[in-house]
């Protein structure tokens, strides 16, 4: 997954379990850029250039757990103006 520096990244997920009610599942969301832990506000953050690893871990009442991970590669914002050539004949 890719993004551009300055983008707002929203972490959304769906969890379920065949026994434990959804509101009793424990969900842990972590976002790491290199060795830096990124703090989320309302499950979102503003991206800077680099690679982020987003991990969502869900655990049920029987201590069974599952984890989903995704990497987001953020490129620098394109600030270069396009060029145009004009010729009259």
């Amino acid at each position: 997954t890719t993004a551009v520096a300055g983008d707002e990244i929203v972490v959304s997920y769906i969890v379920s379990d065949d026994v434990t009610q959804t509101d009793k599942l424990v969900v842990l969301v972590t976002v790491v850029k290199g060795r830096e832990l990124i703090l989320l506000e309302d499950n979102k953050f503003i991206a800077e250039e680099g690679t982020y690893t987003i991990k969502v871990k869900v655990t049920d009442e029987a201590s069974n757990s599952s984890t989903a991970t995704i990497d987001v590669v953020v490129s620098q914002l394109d600030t270069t103006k396009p060029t145009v050539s004009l010729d009259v004949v």
Side-chain angles (χ1 to χ4, degrees), residues 10-74:
V10 179
V11 180
S12 64
Y13 53 86
I14 298 172
V15 295
S16 64
D17 189 72
D18 60 345
V19 177
T20 303
Q21 295 176 345
T22 304
D23 63 341
K24 296 197 185 278
L25 296 171
V26 176
V27 178
L28 176 63
V29 179
T30 56
V31 179
V32 177
K33 179 184 173 200
R35 300 181 85 183
E36 177 185 5
L37 181 63
I38 305 301
L39 298 177
L40 301 179
E41 185 173 323
D42 296 325
N43 277 351
K44 54 190 168 187
F45 64 97
I46 302 300
E48 296 177 359
E49 186 176 12
T51 300
Y52 294 82
T53 300
I54 301 171
K55 189 180 294 187
V56 178
K57 180 179 180 181
V58 60
T59 305
D60 66 14
E61 291 180 308
S63 296
N64 301 309
S65 65
S66 182
T67 303
T69 303
I70 190 169
D71 287 332
V72 179
V73 178
V74 179

